Amino acid sequence: MSNRTILITGGAGFIGSNFIPFFLEKHDTVSVVNLDKLTYAGNLGHLEEVKNNERYKFVQGDICDADLVRAIFKNEQISDVIHFAAESHVDNSIEGPETFIKTNINGTFTLLEGAREHWLDNSNSAKKGFEASRFHHISTDEVFGSLGESGFFDENTAYAPNSPYSASKASSDFLVRSYFHTYGLNVITTNCSNNYGPKQHDEKLIPTIIRKALKGEEIPIYGDGKNVRDWLYVQDHCLGIDLAFSKGKIGETYVIGGNNEHSNIFIAQKICTILDEVYPKKTGNYSEQITFVRDRLGHDFRYAIDATKIKTKLGWQSKWNFDSGLRETVSWYMNKYQQG
Ligand code: NAD
């Protein structure tokens, strides 16, 4: 991968801001243009380490703005796209689904059109210099719906999204797929399980548990806490994206997951145990703060991934085990919350 200029959308969000520094360091002839609207979820402070890198440029803007997207493709001669930008919080999608439809569906459509116009000619053949251009769409395992006690999602699992968030992501996956089958655009889609790690927004489960614990407040856990997610350290997701983007087969999808299935209550208790060890309370244990609250509407019971395809075809494997990843995460948020 040399001398390519890659449009990364949503690079100021949780996964994007972990990905960009890693990607620029790994590929020393690649340039990145980060297009991010800086919604409540975007934080440029998480990109301090690259802000002066001459191969990095930030553009504040909306992926739904077709004129802006077209101008970026043209002015920056964008060779590839890695598309992270999305409204990503399920609870917000239940409260107000409209922005999810706009950003996740219309925004993805706008980017696909930008790529099609810039990379393909009127007969849908690649323009000179754009033969190898790729559009990598970052998606979620939530598009597959909910599992019972057993079974795993893989690339052949039927879509069955249950929340406005997952339905909007499923729609975007279908649009991406259709641009491959209809126009021959070089697309790749990855569907990943729940990520955890530094730079995630305060609203999400793991930052909330750590923050509330440190503040001495109730730690809210939905329902009976038995909902299960397959947790992946964000840096392992970044490795998977890099592999799928560079070596994945055009038109294919890859599911990515850590084989770390844990219930929400297990996660809360595990974090409390780590905090008891590294920052003990004067009296009692952090787990005494755990409180069960009214369940999320339509709360999916279990997600779990069978990542055999990306492991065997692309050689991906996770580098972080759950204990080391969670300890690193707790330490990062302790530093953040104790300073602020
Ligand atoms: P995030 O909410 O932390 O970040 C989203 C970023 O997109 C923010 O910087 C925000 O400002 C930007 N953005 C939102 N709307 C925009 C718009 N209209 N135009 C331009 N920028 C906009 O999300 P995340 O957790 O980093 O997730 C990134 C991607 O990965 C999403 O597509 C999400 O569906 C997917 N994903 C996330 C997880 C997870 O566990 N976090 C797991 C699997 C897949």
Side-chain angles (χ1 to χ4, degrees):
M1 203 187 323
S2 60
N3 299 320
R4 303 191 74 78
T5 302
I6 300 179
L7 175 61
I8 292 188
T9 68
F14 166 43
I15 304 173
S17 62
N18 278 283
F19 183 76
I20 291 175
F22 153 82
F23 191 66
L24 283 171
E25 194 178 325
K26 176 127 196 261
H27 303 285
D28 57 11
T29 60
V30 154
S31 298
V32 163
V33 177
N34 173 16
L35 170 61
D36 195 301
K37 187 176 175 182
L38 296 182
T39 66
Y40 78 96
N43 185 343
L44 281 185
H46 291 162
L47 288 162
E48 280 291 311
E49 64 230 89
V50 294
K51 79 170 189 211
N52 296 322
N53 187 322
E54 57 190 21
R55 294 183 289 118
Y56 170 77
K57 184 188 262 191
F58 175 66
V59 178
Q60 183 170 3
D62 192 328
I63 57 166
C64 300
D65 181 342
D67 290 338
L68 174 67
V69 167
R70 199 175 293 123
I72 292 173
F73 269 95
K74 186 162 174 271
N75 298 340
E76 305 292 343
Q77 285 298 302
I78 296 298
S79 59
D80 304 270
V81 175
I82 305 179
H83 173 33
F84 293 91
E87 287 292 337
S88 71
H89 192 42
V90 177
D91 289 345
N92 294 347
S93 84
I94 296 167
E95 292 296 317
E98 194 176 347
T99 51
F100 286 72
I101 306 306
K102 284 191 177 138
T103 289
N104 300 0
I105 305 178
N106 294 344
T108 302
F109 166 69
T110 306
L111 290 166
L112 286 164
E113 279 291 273
R116 179 166 82 94
E117 192 178 303
H118 195 64
W119 299 343
L120 304 182
D121 64 20
N122 290 339
S123 55
N124 297 322
S125 298
K127 292 181 190 166
K128 196 166 172 340
F130 297 100
E131 297 84 353
S133 290
R134 288 180 163 214
F135 188 109
H136 184 146
H137 178 54
I138 308 297
S139 192
T140 164
D141 63 352
E142 301 195 26
V143 299
F144 302 121
S146 183
L147 290 165
E149 298 283 350
S150 61
F152 295 91
F153 299 134
D154 66 19
E155 291 77 9
N156 299 314
T157 304
Y159 275 47
N162 289 326
S163 71
Y165 164 64
S166 54
S168 67
K169 291 296 292 185
S171 307
S172 64
D173 292 9
F174 288 159
L175 280 171
V176 170
R177 177 189 158 91
S178 78
Y179 271 62
F180 169 69
H181 286 275
T182 306
Y183 305 112
L185 201 75
N186 293 337
V187 308
I188 301 273
T189 296
T190 45
N191 296 87
C192 190
S193 61
N194 274 47
N195 285 212
Y196 69 99
K199 304 182 180 176
Q200 191 167 28
H201 193 274
D202 287 351
E203 69 191 354
K204 300 286 169 64
L205 179 70
I206 288 180
T208 299
I209 295 170
I210 301 168
R211 189 178 67 256
K212 296 282 187 183
L214 292 174
K215 277 187 168 170
E217 295 175 0
E218 290 182 346
I219 301 169
I221 298 295
Y222 280 133
D224 58 8
K226 291 194 177 138
N227 301 65
V228 171
R229 301 291 180 260
D230 181 353
W231 292 92
L232 184 69
Y233 194 62
V234 63
Q235 285 298 335
D236 281 330
H237 187 191
C238 292
L239 287 173
I241 294 168
D242 180 52
L243 271 175
F245 174 69
S246 333
K247 298 190 185 145
K249 194 165 170 210
I250 294 302
E252 300 223 343
T253 66
Y254 297 85
V255 300
I256 311 177
N259 245 339
N260 281 305
E261 279 188 55
H262 297 298
S263 64
N264 290 348
I265 186 65
F266 172 87
I267 301 277
Q269 276 161 348
K270 173 110 183 142
I271 290 171
C272 288
T273 308
I274 295 174
L275 285 173
D276 285 337
E277 200 185 300
V278 298
Y279 192 65
K281 296 204 319 182
K282 288 198 183 84
T283 52
N285 296 322
Y286 288 99
S287 59
E288 289 155 18
Q289 293 166 228
I290 294 174
T291 311
F292 294 102
V293 298
R294 195 166 73 91
D295 208 355
R296 169 189 279 168
L297 295 173
H299 202 174
D300 286 339
F301 172 62
R302 174 172 167 260
Y303 307 137
I305 289 277
D306 174 358
T308 304
K309 180 177 173 185
I310 192 164
K311 285 180 182 164
T312 55
K313 302 279 183 199
L314 304 182
W316 175 80
Q317 64 184 74
S318 54
K319 292 205 166 141
W320 291 76
N321 69 41
F322 191 62
D323 190 61
S324 57
L326 202 57
R327 281 176 185 277
E328 186 74 19
T329 305
V330 168
S331 146
W332 192 89
Y333 287 99
M334 276 181 66
N335 196 28
K336 171 177 175 179
Y337 294 137
Q338 286 175 334
Q339 276 174 9

Coordinates of all heavy atoms in Angstrom, one line a residue, residues 9-17 35-43 61-64 83-89 99 102-104 107 137-142 165 169 190-196 199-201 203-204 231-232 237, ligand 1:
T9 N -13.8 8.3 7.6 CA -14.9 9.1 8.1 C -15.1 8.7 9.6 O -14.8 7.6 10.0 CB -16.2 8.8 7.3 OG1 -16.6 7.4 7.6 CG2 -16.0 9.0 5.8
G10 N -15.5 9.7 10.4 CA -15.8 9.4 11.8 C -14.5 9.1 12.6 O -14.5 8.4 13.6
G11 N -13.4 9.7 12.1 CA -12.1 9.4 12.7 C -11.9 10.0 14.1 O -10.9 9.7 14.8
A12 N -12.8 10.9 14.5 CA -12.7 11.5 15.8 C -13.5 10.7 16.9 O -13.6 11.0 18.0 CB -13.1 12.9 15.8
G13 N -14.1 9.6 16.4 CA -14.9 8.7 17.3 C -14.0 7.7 18.0 O -12.8 7.7 17.9
F14 N -14.6 6.9 18.8 CA -13.9 5.9 19.6 C -13.0 5.0 18.7 O -11.7 5.0 18.9 CB -14.9 5.0 20.3 CG -14.4 3.7 20.9 CD1 -13.2 3.7 21.6 CD2 -15.2 2.6 20.8 CE1 -12.8 2.5 22.2 CE2 -14.8 1.4 21.4 CZ -13.6 1.3 22.1
I15 N -13.5 4.3 17.8 CA -12.7 3.3 17.0 C -11.8 4.1 16.0 O -10.6 3.8 15.9 CB -13.5 2.2 16.3 CG1 -14.4 1.5 17.3 CG2 -12.6 1.2 15.6 CD1 -15.4 0.6 16.7
G16 N -12.3 5.1 15.4 CA -11.5 5.9 14.4 C -10.3 6.5 15.0 O -9.2 6.5 14.4
S17 N -10.5 7.0 16.2 CA -9.3 7.7 16.8 C -8.3 6.7 17.4 O -7.2 7.1 17.7 CB -9.8 8.7 17.9 OG -10.4 8.0 19.0
L35 N -12.7 12.9 7.8 CA -13.9 13.7 7.7 C -14.8 13.3 8.8 O -15.3 12.2 8.9 CB -14.6 13.4 6.3 CG -16.1 14.0 6.2 CD1 -16.0 15.5 6.3 CD2 -16.7 13.5 4.9
D36 N -15.1 14.3 9.7 CA -15.9 14.1 10.9 C -16.7 15.3 11.2 O -16.2 16.4 11.2 CB -15.0 13.7 12.1 CG -15.7 13.0 13.2 OD1 -16.6 13.7 13.8 OD2 -15.4 11.9 13.6
K37 N -17.9 15.1 11.5 CA -18.9 16.2 11.8 C -18.6 16.8 13.2 O -19.1 17.8 13.6 CB -20.3 15.6 11.7 CG -21.4 16.7 11.8 CD -22.7 16.0 11.6 CE -23.9 17.0 11.8 NZ -25.2 16.3 11.7
L38 N -17.9 16.0 14.1 CA -17.7 16.3 15.5 C -19.1 16.5 16.1 O -19.5 17.5 16.7 CB -16.9 17.6 15.7 CG -15.4 17.4 15.2 CD1 -14.6 18.7 15.5 CD2 -14.7 16.2 15.9
T39 N -19.9 15.4 16.1 CA -21.1 15.4 16.9 C -20.7 15.2 18.4 O -19.4 15.2 18.7 CB -21.9 14.1 16.6 OG1 -21.2 12.9 17.0 CG2 -22.2 14.0 15.1
Y40 N -21.6 15.1 19.3 CA -21.2 14.9 20.7 C -20.3 13.8 20.9 O -19.5 13.7 21.8 CB -22.5 14.6 21.5 CG -23.0 13.2 21.4 CD1 -22.6 12.2 22.3 CD2 -23.7 12.8 20.2 CE1 -23.0 10.9 22.1 CE2 -24.0 11.4 20.1 CZ -23.7 10.5 21.0 OH -24.0 9.2 20.8
A41 N -20.2 12.8 19.9 CA -19.4 11.6 20.1 C -18.0 11.8 19.6 O -17.1 10.9 19.8 CB -20.0 10.4 19.3
G42 N -17.7 12.9 18.8 CA -16.4 13.1 18.3 C -15.5 13.9 19.2 O -16.0 14.8 19.9
N43 N -14.2 13.6 19.3 CA -13.3 14.3 20.2 C -11.9 14.4 19.6 O -11.2 13.4 19.5 CB -13.2 13.5 21.5 CG -12.4 14.2 22.6 OD1 -11.7 15.1 22.3 ND2 -12.5 13.8 23.8
G61 N -17.0 18.1 8.9 CA -18.1 18.2 7.9 C -19.0 16.9 8.0 O -18.6 15.9 8.7
D62 N -20.1 17.0 7.3 CA -21.1 15.9 7.4 C -21.0 15.0 6.2 O -21.0 15.4 5.1 CB -22.5 16.6 7.5 CG -23.6 15.7 7.8 OD1 -23.5 14.5 7.6 OD2 -24.6 16.2 8.4
I63 N -21.0 13.7 6.5 CA -20.9 12.7 5.4 C -22.2 12.8 4.5 O -22.2 12.2 3.4 CB -20.7 11.3 5.9 CG1 -21.8 10.8 6.9 CG2 -19.3 11.1 6.4 CD1 -21.8 9.3 7.1
C64 N -23.3 13.4 5.0 CA -24.5 13.6 4.2 C -24.4 14.7 3.2 O -25.3 14.9 2.4 CB -25.7 13.8 5.1 SG -26.0 12.4 6.2
H83 N -14.8 3.7 6.2 CA -16.0 4.4 6.7 C -16.5 4.0 8.1 O -17.1 3.0 8.2 CB -17.1 4.2 5.6 CG -18.4 4.7 6.0 ND1 -18.6 5.9 6.7 CD2 -19.7 4.3 5.7 CE1 -19.9 6.1 6.9 NE2 -20.6 5.1 6.3
F84 N -16.1 4.8 9.1 CA -16.5 4.6 10.4 C -17.7 5.4 10.9 O -18.4 5.0 11.8 CB -15.4 5.0 11.4 CG -14.1 4.1 11.4 CD1 -13.1 4.5 10.5 CD2 -14.0 3.0 12.2 CE1 -11.9 3.7 10.5 CE2 -12.8 2.3 12.2 CZ -11.8 2.6 11.3
A85 N -17.9 6.6 10.2 CA -18.8 7.6 10.8 C -20.2 7.0 10.9 O -20.7 6.4 10.0 CB -18.9 8.8 9.9
A86 N -20.8 7.1 12.1 CA -22.1 6.6 12.3 C -22.7 7.2 13.6 O -21.9 7.7 14.5 CB -22.1 5.1 12.4
E87 N -24.0 7.2 13.8 CA -24.6 7.3 15.1 C -24.5 5.9 15.6 O -24.9 5.0 15.0 CB -26.0 7.8 15.0 CG -26.1 9.3 14.6 CD -25.7 10.2 15.7 OE1 -25.7 9.8 16.9 OE2 -25.3 11.4 15.4
S88 N -23.9 5.8 16.8 CA -23.6 4.4 17.3 C -24.2 3.9 18.6 O -24.0 2.8 19.0 CB -22.1 4.3 17.4 OG -21.6 5.1 18.5
H89 N -25.0 4.8 19.2 CA -25.5 4.4 20.5 C -26.9 3.9 20.5 O -27.8 4.7 20.2 CB -25.3 5.5 21.5 CG -25.5 5.1 23.0 ND1 -25.0 3.9 23.5 CD2 -26.2 5.7 24.0 CE1 -25.3 3.8 24.7 NE2 -26.0 4.9 25.1
T99 N -31.7 10.7 13.3 CA -30.3 11.0 12.9 C -29.6 9.7 12.5 O -28.7 9.8 11.7 CB -29.5 11.7 14.1 OG1 -29.7 10.9 15.2 CG2 -29.9 13.1 14.3
K102 N -30.5 9.3 8.9 CA -29.7 10.3 8.1 C -28.3 9.9 8.0 O -27.7 9.7 6.9 CB -29.9 11.7 8.7 CG -31.2 12.3 8.5 CD -31.2 13.8 8.8 CE -32.5 14.4 8.5 NZ -33.0 15.3 9.6
T103 N -27.6 9.8 9.1 CA -26.1 9.5 9.0 C -25.8 8.1 8.5 O -25.0 8.0 7.6 CB -25.5 9.8 10.4 OG1 -25.5 11.2 10.7 CG2 -24.1 9.3 10.5
N104 N -26.4 7.1 9.1 CA -26.0 5.8 8.8 C -26.4 5.3 7.4 O -25.7 4.6 6.8 CB -26.5 4.8 9.9 CG -26.0 5.2 11.3 OD1 -25.2 6.2 11.4 ND2 -26.3 4.4 12.3
G107 N -25.9 9.0 4.8 CA -24.5 9.3 4.8 C -23.7 8.3 4.0 O -22.8 8.6 3.2
H137 N -16.3 -0.6 4.6 CA -17.4 -0.2 5.4 C -17.3 -0.9 6.8 O -17.3 -2.2 6.8 CB -18.7 -0.6 4.7 CG -20.0 -0.3 5.4 ND1 -20.3 0.9 5.9 CD2 -21.0 -1.1 5.8 CE1 -21.4 0.9 6.6 NE2 -21.9 -0.4 6.5
I138 N -17.3 -0.1 7.8 CA -17.2 -0.7 9.2 C -18.6 -0.9 9.7 O -19.4 0.1 9.9 CB -16.4 0.3 10.1 CG1 -15.1 0.7 9.5 CG2 -16.2 -0.4 11.5 CD1 -14.1 -0.4 9.2
S139 N -18.9 -2.1 10.0 CA -20.3 -2.4 10.6 C -20.2 -3.3 11.8 O -19.1 -3.5 12.4 CB -21.2 -3.0 9.5 OG -22.5 -3.0 9.9
T140 N -21.4 -3.7 12.3 CA -21.5 -4.3 13.6 C -22.2 -5.7 13.5 O -22.9 -5.9 12.5 CB -22.4 -3.4 14.5 OG1 -22.8 -4.1 15.6 CG2 -23.6 -2.9 13.7
D141 N -21.9 -6.5 14.5 CA -22.6 -7.8 14.6 C -24.1 -7.6 14.9 O -24.9 -8.6 14.9 CB -21.9 -8.7 15.5 CG -21.9 -8.3 17.0 OD1 -22.3 -7.1 17.2 OD2 -21.5 -9.0 17.8
E142 N -24.5 -6.4 15.4 CA -25.9 -6.2 15.8 C -26.9 -6.3 14.6 O -28.1 -6.5 14.8 CB -26.0 -4.8 16.5 CG -25.1 -4.7 17.7 CD -25.5 -3.6 18.7 OE1 -26.6 -3.2 18.7 OE2 -24.6 -3.2 19.4
Y165 N -30.9 1.5 15.5 CA -29.4 1.5 15.2 C -29.0 0.4 14.3 O -28.5 0.6 13.2 CB -28.6 1.5 16.5 CG -27.1 1.1 16.3 CD1 -26.3 2.0 15.6 CD2 -26.6 0.0 16.8 CE1 -25.0 1.7 15.3 CE2 -25.2 -0.4 16.6 CZ -24.4 0.5 15.9 OH -23.1 0.2 15.6
K169 N -27.7 0.3 10.4 CA -26.4 -0.3 10.0 C -26.7 -1.4 8.9 O -25.9 -1.5 7.9 CB -25.7 -0.8 11.2 CG -25.2 0.2 12.1 CD -24.1 1.2 11.6 CE -22.8 0.5 11.2 NZ -21.8 1.5 10.8
T190 N -16.7 -5.2 7.2 CA -16.4 -6.0 8.4 C -17.5 -5.7 9.4 O -18.0 -4.6 9.6 CB -15.1 -5.6 9.0 OG1 -14.9 -4.2 9.0 CG2 -13.9 -6.2 8.1
N191 N -18.0 -6.8 10.0 CA -19.0 -6.7 11.1 C -18.4 -7.2 12.4 O -18.0 -8.3 12.5 CB -20.2 -7.6 10.8 CG -20.9 -7.2 9.5 OD1 -20.6 -7.6 8.4 ND2 -22.0 -6.4 9.7
C192 N -18.2 -6.2 13.3 CA -17.4 -6.5 14.5 C -18.4 -6.6 15.7 O -19.4 -5.9 15.8 CB -16.3 -5.5 14.7 SG -15.2 -5.9 16.0
S193 N -17.9 -7.3 16.7 CA -18.6 -7.4 18.0 C -18.3 -6.1 18.9 O -17.6 -5.3 18.4 CB -18.2 -8.7 18.7 OG -16.8 -8.6 19.0
N194 N -18.8 -6.1 20.1 CA -18.6 -4.9 21.0 C -17.1 -4.7 21.2 O -16.4 -5.6 21.6 CB -19.2 -5.2 22.3 CG -20.7 -4.9 22.4 OD1 -21.4 -5.3 21.4 ND2 -21.1 -4.2 23.4
N195 N -16.7 -3.4 21.0 CA -15.3 -3.0 21.3 C -15.2 -2.4 22.7 O -16.2 -1.8 23.1 CB -14.9 -2.0 20.3 CG -14.6 -2.5 18.9 OD1 -13.7 -2.0 18.2 ND2 -15.3 -3.5 18.5
Y196 N -14.1 -2.5 23.3 CA -13.8 -1.8 24.5 C -12.4 -1.3 24.4 O -11.6 -1.8 23.7 CB -14.1 -2.6 25.7 CG -13.1 -3.7 25.9 CD1 -12.0 -3.6 26.8 CD2 -13.1 -4.9 25.2 CE1 -11.1 -4.6 27.0 CE2 -12.2 -5.9 25.4 CZ -11.2 -5.8 26.3 OH -10.2 -6.8 26.4
K199 N -10.6 5.8 24.9 CA -11.2 6.8 23.9 C -12.7 6.6 23.6 O -13.2 7.2 22.7 CB -10.4 6.9 22.6 CG -8.9 7.3 22.8 CD -8.2 7.4 21.4 CE -6.7 7.7 21.6 NZ -6.0 7.8 20.3
Q200 N -13.3 5.7 24.3 CA -14.7 5.5 24.1 C -15.5 6.5 24.8 O -15.1 7.0 25.8 CB -15.2 4.1 24.6 CG -16.6 3.7 24.1 CD -16.9 2.2 24.3 OE1 -16.3 1.6 25.2 NE2 -17.8 1.6 23.5
H201 N -16.7 6.9 24.2 CA -17.5 7.9 24.8 C -18.1 7.5 26.2 O -18.4 6.3 26.4 CB -18.7 8.3 23.9 CG -19.4 9.5 24.3 ND1 -20.4 9.6 25.2 CD2 -19.2 10.8 23.9 CE1 -20.8 10.8 25.3 NE2 -20.1 11.6 24.6
E203 N -20.8 7.6 27.5 CA -22.2 7.0 27.5 C -22.2 5.5 27.5 O -23.2 4.9 27.9 CB -23.0 7.5 26.3 CG -22.5 7.0 25.0 CD -23.1 7.7 23.8 OE1 -24.0 8.5 23.9 OE2 -22.7 7.4 22.7
K204 N -21.1 4.9 27.0 CA -21.1 3.4 26.8 C -20.9 2.6 28.1 O -20.4 3.2 29.1 CB -20.0 3.1 25.7 CG -20.3 3.8 24.4 CD -21.5 3.1 23.6 CE -22.0 3.9 22.4 NZ -21.1 4.1 21.3
W231 N -16.7 -9.4 23.6 CA -15.9 -8.2 23.8 C -14.6 -8.3 23.1 O -13.9 -9.3 23.2 CB -15.7 -7.9 25.3 CG -17.0 -7.5 25.9 CD1 -17.9 -8.3 26.5 CD2 -17.6 -6.1 25.9 NE1 -19.0 -7.5 27.0 CE2 -18.8 -6.2 26.6 CE3 -17.2 -4.9 25.5 CZ2 -19.7 -5.1 26.8 CZ3 -18.0 -3.8 25.7 CH2 -19.2 -3.9 26.3
L232 N -14.3 -7.3 22.3 CA -13.0 -7.2 21.6 C -12.2 -5.9 21.9 O -12.8 -4.8 21.9 CB -13.2 -7.3 20.1 CG -12.0 -7.4 19.2 CD1 -11.3 -8.7 19.4 CD2 -12.3 -7.2 17.7
H237 N -9.5 -4.9 17.0 CA -10.4 -4.5 15.8 C -9.6 -3.8 14.8 O -9.7 -4.0 13.6 CB -11.6 -3.7 16.4 CG -12.6 -3.4 15.4 ND1 -13.6 -2.5 15.6 CD2 -12.8 -3.9 14.1 CE1 -14.4 -2.5 14.5 NE2 -14.0 -3.3 13.6
Ligands
NAD1 P1 -18.6 6.8 17.9 O1 -20.0 7.1 18.1 O2 -17.6 6.8 19.0 O3 -18.0 7.7 16.8 C1 -18.7 8.1 15.6 C2 -17.9 9.3 14.9 O4 -18.7 9.6 13.8 C3 -17.9 10.5 15.8 O5 -16.6 11.1 15.8 C4 -18.9 11.5 15.2 O6 -18.5 12.8 15.3 C5 -18.8 11.0 13.7 N1 -20.1 11.3 13.0 C6 -21.3 11.0 13.4 N2 -22.2 11.5 12.5 C7 -21.5 12.0 11.4 C8 -21.8 12.6 10.2 N3 -23.1 12.7 9.8 N4 -20.8 13.0 9.4 C9 -19.5 12.9 9.8 N5 -19.1 12.4 11.0 C10 -20.1 11.9 11.8 O7 -18.6 5.3 17.1 P2 -17.5 4.1 17.2 O8 -17.9 3.3 18.4 O9 -16.2 4.7 17.0 O10 -18.0 3.3 16.0 C11 -17.4 3.5 14.7 C12 -18.1 2.6 13.7 O11 -17.9 1.2 14.1 C13 -19.6 2.7 13.6 O12 -19.9 2.6 12.2 C14 -20.2 1.6 14.4 O13 -21.4 1.2 13.9 C15 -19.1 0.5 14.2 N6 -19.0 -0.4 15.2 C16 -18.8 0.0 16.6 C17 -18.6 -1.0 17.5 C18 -18.4 -0.6 19.0 O14 -18.4 -1.5 19.9 N7 -18.1 0.7 19.3 C19 -18.7 -2.4 17.2 C20 -18.9 -2.7 15.9 C21 -19.0 -1.8 14.9

